[in-house]
Structures are given as structure tokens and as C-alpha cells.
């Protein structure tokens, strides 16, 4: 009997293909992450394109992976809502609202015009404008690390607050716009569907009700000290019965997840997209630091892998063959340029009145504009929502995705340049201790800044690893 057997065994092939798929996603994600100082999602999507049905078609269990990737909708949206900070809106909400309104208006107008010039239907053009107008919220990948938006600029707390208030209000508005668009028949040829006013207004009103209700619950956490009440249910961390603490923490995460699912189902019942309910659920618990810490400690690895599966499989596998044509690339570049300049100008003009007197005002204003143009995870989630609902054609998906990918590469690079300009100056102002407290600095790194008025803590340069506490 021959001792030589077939290698690799047939039963092992799906495992090897999965390892190849996610290994390539990890490698490409890290390469583009370090080159562009932005998110890894671009490399992960490219891995799905290479090994998915568009090119080599060797990825196993495609439908199962796409289904698992849908769980990332819950995790990513809930986490983004959880890390919103309403104190920034309270301090500079008027200018944040101006940034959000201008960026959405200009971006959607320019993108819709570019799509119409290239022969796309009106409804599809508007949906593409909505997708490309979505920005980052809560957390952002910039400077080779993931940080909260409220510390995006380590040298100017005012700029960070402006960006956080602008991106948070932008997300609330763009979720409402997406709700309105999904209430319109995708086959409608009328520019103004007068006969569908109630069909359009009902989801819009319920969407606004969800968002306002989430804000109200968030205010309860702030004004009635419910975050301290929730924290009081936990035994001290140094208590010998650590198992009890972990069990109660897991129960809290389970309750938050169940609450998010309940709001998602309720949203679907009243004809509002489920992602609105999920984001609002995260927003409700964002007022409690205990909830944030519990969620981070219990889901950090799960979030990482679900997000990778979502971008590699749910997004990378749906791309049409028409995306790799020269015309699709050129149209995508045109649409991406329209979206970037619309959001950039809107964010910069909205932040101009308040930031003009700041030190290094030009870089601060440019940082506001590029942050509003940053195509984060929300844009890709919107793309999948509109694609599944039949609002986008194969050609439209290709053009829109090129726009998202280019926005996810260009805007983080511009943000990082602006941050480097800020770090070149003395940035040990009165807010540096607040910023420094957000980071866990590497061992041996001297984070005391000397200068007039005493020292202060500041985060490490972007080239050094740093992570959120």
C-alpha cells in the first residue's frame, strides 16, 4: 500500500481557502493602512475582489460568509453610536450643524450632478449622493491607530469638538435622508412623487422620532446620573470574586445587544431601516462610560473579525465585472472628486468662523473639511442597503464603490498631513491632559512636554503605536 496520499486532503481545502482569504485580507489591509494612514477596509475589500466571484472565485461558503458579515452591521453601527459624545454638540453644536448641512448639501448636489451627466437615473444618482455623503462617527482610523473623533487633533480640542459635533449631526441627518430615499419606489420615474408624500413622510417622522428619543435617553444618562447607577451594580474591580464582575459585565453587554435588536425590529415594523434603530441604541448607552468599557472588553476581538468578514465577503463578493472597466474607474474618480470637494468645502466653510482665530488656522480648517469627506464604514453599509433594496444597478454599484474606496484613501491621508502640521508646533495647551488621558502610551516614552506654563501630557506621535483605553 502506498504511503503517499493526496495533499492537501479534500476535506481540508475549505479551511485552507478561508485561511488564504483572511490572510490576504489582513496583509493587504495592513499594507494600505500603513501607506495611507487610514482604515484597513480598502485592502480587505480588495482581497474579497481577488479571491471572490469577480476574479479567481476560490472562496468557500460564500453565502454563509456573507450572512455572518451582516452581523457586522449590528456591531459596527452600535459601536459608532456608543462612542458619540454629546458634550461637543452642546459646546459648538451650531457650527457642527452648519458643517453637517453644508457638507451633505454640497456633496449630494455635486454627486447627483456628476451621476446625471454620466447617464444614471435620478433616484440612483440621489442614492449615490447619500452614500458618499456619509462620514465617520464615534471612532476613526487615522495616524496608524484607531482613536475617538474627539481626540482626532491632539493639539486643538476646539477642532476635535467641531469635527465630532459635525460628524455626529451629519450621521443623524444622513440616516434620515437614507430613510426617505428607501421609502421611494426605486422604479419611480418621477422627480417629485407627489402621490407618495405620506409614504415618504411616515418613515421620515418615525426616523426622527427614533433619533430624538435616543437623544432624550442619552440626556437621562447625563442629567440623572444613571451612568453611576449602572456602575454601582458592579463589584469593585479589585474584588477577589473577579468571576462575578465578569459575569455582570457580560450580562450588561447582553442587555445592550438585546436592546439594539429590539430597536432594529421596531424600526422595521414602522418602515424605518433597521440600521437607524441599531445606531440609536448605541447612542442611548453612550452616556455611560461603564457601558463603553464593558462593550470594548467583551467584543474587541469579535468586532475586529466581523468587520473583516463584512468588508471582505459582504462587500468584496458583490462587486460586478463592470467595475474593472476603464469607464467605471473614470466615472468613479469623477464622482469621488465631486463627493470629496463637496464635503471638504462644506466642512471647511462651516468650521471657518470658529477656527479662524485658532493657532495654525489653515490646517485646522483643512482638518475639518477632510474629516467630513472621510468615507468610513457607514458609506459601505449604506451601499449594501441600497443595493439589496434594488436602488443601484451593477454599473452604479461599481461607480459608487470606486468613489467610496478613493474617499477612504484620500481623506485619511489629508487628515494625517494636517495632524503632522499641528504636531510640529508646541501643542501643550490647557487641553493636552484631557487628550493624553485618552491614550495608553508605550513603555519608556516620555510624554511630559516642557515649556512655559508648566508641562502637560500629550499623545505620542502618529508613528508610534497607541490605543484607546
Amino acid at each position: 500500500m502506498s504511503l503517499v496520499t493526496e495533499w492537501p486532503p479534500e476535506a481540508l481545502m475549505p479551511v485552507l481557502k478561508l485561511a488564504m482569504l483572511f490572510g490576504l485580507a489582513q496583509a493587504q489591509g495592513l499594507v494600505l493602512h500603513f501607506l495611507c494612514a487610514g482604515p484597513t477596509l480598502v485592502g480587505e475589500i480588495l482581497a474579497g475582489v481577488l479571491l471572490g466571484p469577480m476574479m479567481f472565485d476560490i472562496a468557500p461558503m460564500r453565502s454563509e460568509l456573507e450572512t455572518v458579515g451582516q452581523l457586522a452591521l449590528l456591531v459596527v453601527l452600535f459601536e459608532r453610536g456608543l462612542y458619540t459624545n454629546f458634550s461637543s454638540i452642546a459646546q459648538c453644536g451650531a457650527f457642527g450643524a452648519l458643517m453637517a448641512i453644508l457638507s451633505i448639501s454640497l456633496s449630494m448636489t455635486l454627486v447627483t450632478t456628476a451621476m446625471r451627466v454620466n447617464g444614471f437615473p435620478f433616484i440612483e444618482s440621489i442614492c449615490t449622493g447619500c452614500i458618499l455623503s456619509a462620514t465617520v462617527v464615534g471612532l476613526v482610523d487615522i495616524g496608524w491607530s484607531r482613536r475617538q473623533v474627539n481626540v482626532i487633533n491632539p493639539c486643538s480640542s476646539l477642532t476635535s469638538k467641531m469635527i465630532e459635533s459635525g460628524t455626529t449631526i451629519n450621521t443623524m441627518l444622513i440616516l434620515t435622508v437614507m430613510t426617505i430615499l428607501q421609502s421611494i419606489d426605486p422604479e419611480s420615474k418621477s422627480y417629485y412623487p407627489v402621490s407618495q408624500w405620506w409614504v415618504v413622510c411616515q418613515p421620515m417622522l418615525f426616523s426622527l422620532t427614533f433619533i430624538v428619543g435616543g437623544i432624550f435617553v442619552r440626556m437621562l444618562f447625563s442629567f440623572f446620573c444613571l451612568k453611576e447607577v449602572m456602575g454601582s451594580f458592579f463589584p469593585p474591580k479589585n474584588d477577589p470574586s473577579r468571576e462575578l464582575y465578569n459575569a455582570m459585565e457580560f450580562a450588561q453587554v447582553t442587555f445592550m445587544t438585546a436592546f439594539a435588536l429590539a430597536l432594529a425590529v421596531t424600526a422595521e415594523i414602522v418602515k424605518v431601516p433597521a440600521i437607524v434603530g441599531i445606531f440609536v441604541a448605541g447612542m442611548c448607552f453612550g452616556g455611560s462610560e461603564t457601558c463603553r468599557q464593558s462593550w470594548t472588553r467583551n467584543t474587541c476581538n469579535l468586532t475586529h473579525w466581523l468587520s473583516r468578514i463584512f468588508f471582505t465577503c459582504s462587500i468584496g463578493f458583490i462587486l460586478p465585472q463592470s467595475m474593472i472597466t476603464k469607464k467605471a474607474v473614470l466615472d468613479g474618480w469623477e464622482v469621488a472628486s465631486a463627493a470629496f470637494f463637496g464635503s471638504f468645502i462644506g466642512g471647511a466653510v462651516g468650521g471657518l468662523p470658529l477656527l479662524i482665530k485658532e493657532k495654525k488656522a489653515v490646517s485646522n480648517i483643512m482638518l475639518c473639511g477632510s474629516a467630513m469627506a472621510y468615507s468610513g464604514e457607514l458609506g459601505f453599509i449604506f451601499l449594501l442597503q441600497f443595493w439589496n433594496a434594488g436602488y443601484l444597478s451593477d454599473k452604479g454599484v461599481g461607480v459608487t464603490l470606486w468613489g467610496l474606496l478613493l474617499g477612504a484613501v484620500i481623506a485619511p491621508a489629508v487628515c494625517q498631513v494636517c495632524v503632522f502640521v499641528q504636531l510640529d508646533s508646541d501643542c501643550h495647551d490647557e487641553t493636552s491632559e484631557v487628550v493624553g488621558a485618552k491614550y495608553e502610551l508605550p513603555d519608556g516614552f516620555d510624554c511630559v512636554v516642557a515649556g512655559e506654563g508648566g508641562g502637560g501630557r500629550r499623545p505620542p506621535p502618529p508613528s508610534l503605536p497607541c490605543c484607546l483605553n
Side-chain angles (χ1 to χ4, degrees):
M1 183 177 68
S2 174
L3 296 178
V4 179
T5 59
E6 180 184 358
W7 181 260
E10 188 65 25
L12 195 59
M13 285 301 295
V15 178
L16 294 178
K17 290 178 179 179
L18 280 177
M20 182 189 303
L21 176 66
F22 294 119
L24 183 62
Q26 173 81 358
Q28 290 187 162
L30 289 176
V31 168
L32 288 172
H33 178 59
F34 283 110
L35 288 177
C36 305
T40 61
L41 59 87
V42 178
E44 293 163 1
I45 292 174
L46 293 178
V49 171
L50 288 174
L51 302 183
M54 185 174 177
M55 296 191 70
F56 295 107
D57 196 15
I58 63 173
M61 302 179 291
R62 291 209 306 265
S63 60
E64 290 82 358
L65 288 172
E66 290 178 21
T67 302
V68 173
Q70 298 297 320
L71 292 175
L73 294 176
L74 169 65
V75 174
V76 172
L77 282 167
F78 183 87
E79 189 174 67
R80 294 306 177 269
L82 190 66
Y83 278 95
T84 53
N85 188 352
F86 280 18
S87 63
S88 299
I89 298 178
Q91 296 177 28
C92 46
F95 293 98
L98 181 63
M99 289 171 58
I101 293 171
L102 287 177
S103 64
I104 291 175
S105 302
L106 290 174
S107 178
M108 290 191 66
T109 301
L110 293 177
V111 170
T112 302
T113 303
M115 293 288 286
R116 291 293 287 160
V117 167
N118 286 288
F120 287 92
F122 181 75
I123 297 297
E124 185 173 5
S125 301
I126 286 285
C127 292
T128 302
C130 176
I131 292 169
L132 294 175
S133 298
T135 185
V136 293
V137 62
L139 297 173
V140 59
D141 290 299
I142 179 176
W144 304 288
S145 65
R146 170 160 290 187
R147 64 183 72 175
Q148 289 180 253
V149 176
N150 62 350
V151 290
I152 190 172
N153 185 354
C155 300
S156 173
S157 64
L158 178 60
T159 306
S160 298
K161 289 174 183 177
M162 286 283 293
I163 293 172
E164 184 171 46
S165 63
T167 54
T168 303
I169 296 173
N170 175 286
T171 302
M172 295 178 185
L173 294 177
I174 209 67
L175 283 172
T176 305
V177 172
M178 187 202 68
T179 302
I180 296 172
L181 291 174
Q182 288 206 342
S183 65
I184 300 175
D185 182 5
E187 302 298 328
S188 174
K189 303 298 181 183
S190 172
Y191 284 30
Y192 305 97
V194 179
S195 61
Q196 302 179 24
W197 278 123
W198 176 242
V199 177
V200 174
C201 291
Q202 179 186 2
M204 179 187 70
L205 293 175
F206 279 116
S207 176
L208 291 174
T209 301
F210 268 87
I211 293 173
V212 173
I215 295 173
F216 178 74
V217 174
R218 181 69 169 263
M219 291 172 62
L220 291 179
F221 274 100
S222 301
F223 293 113
F224 294 99
C225 301
L226 292 184
K227 53 186 177 181
E228 285 80 6
V229 173
M230 294 190 69
S232 65
F233 287 102
F234 288 83
K237 292 184 179 180
N238 56 1
D239 191 86
S241 59
R242 183 70 183 182
E243 293 183 0
L244 177 60
Y245 183 89
N246 292 336
M248 296 184 68
E249 197 174 62
F250 179 76
Q252 188 180 52
V253 172
T254 304
F255 173 74
M256 289 191 289
T257 305
F259 183 76
L261 291 174
L263 278 189
V265 172
T266 305
E268 287 289 340
I269 291 174
V270 296
K271 298 182 180 180
V272 174
I275 61 176
V276 176
I278 295 170
F279 178 80
V280 170
M283 198 168 62
C284 291
F285 291 102
S288 170
E289 188 63 30
T290 302
C291 292
R292 290 185 182 183
Q293 293 175 358
S294 300
W295 178 267
T296 302
R297 278 193 291 266
N298 286 271
T299 65
C300 55
N301 293 326
L302 177 66
T303 302
H304 175 74
W305 279 103
L306 283 179
S307 178
R308 178 169 298 162
I309 293 172
F310 173 74
F311 289 110
T312 304
C313 305
S314 297
I315 300 295
F317 288 176
I318 70 169
L319 303 186
Q321 291 285 345
S322 60
M323 182 182 173
I324 58 176
T325 62
K326 180 180 178 181
K327 179 171 174 48
V329 176
L330 293 177
D331 290 347
W333 176 260
E334 182 179 344
V335 170
S337 301
F340 179 83
F341 284 111
S343 297
F344 182 89
I345 294 172
V349 172
L352 179 64
L354 201 60
L355 298 177
I356 191 65
K357 297 181 181 180
E358 281 281 286
K359 186 178 181 180
K360 299 209 174 210
V362 174
S363 61
N364 280 316
I365 294 170
M366 289 185 63
L367 183 58
C368 281
S370 55
M372 297 302 294
Y374 194 147
S375 298
E377 293 93 340
L378 284 181
F380 293 93
I381 293 174
F382 284 8
L383 171 67
L384 191 62
Q385 292 285 309
F386 282 118
W387 164 253
N388 291 335
Y391 288 87
L392 300 177
S393 61
D394 288 349
K395 183 181 176 182
V397 169
V399 171
T400 306
L401 192 58
W402 275 118
L404 286 172
L405 291 175
L406 291 171
V409 170
I410 297 173
V414 176
C415 286
Q416 183 58 16
V417 170
C418 296
V419 172
F420 269 131
V421 171
Q422 293 285 322
L423 288 173
D424 285 341
S425 63
D426 294 331
C427 60
H428 50 281
D429 58 10
E430 67 276 4
T431 62
S432 56
E433 290 193 13
V434 177
V435 174
K438 297 288 183 182
Y439 291 88
E440 180 180 301
L441 304 182
D443 292 335
F445 180 74
D446 186 7
C447 56
V448 177
V449 183
E452 294 183 10
R457 292 179 59 86
R458 78 176 190 185
S463 58
L464 294 176
C466 57
C467 60
L468 289 169
N469 286 332

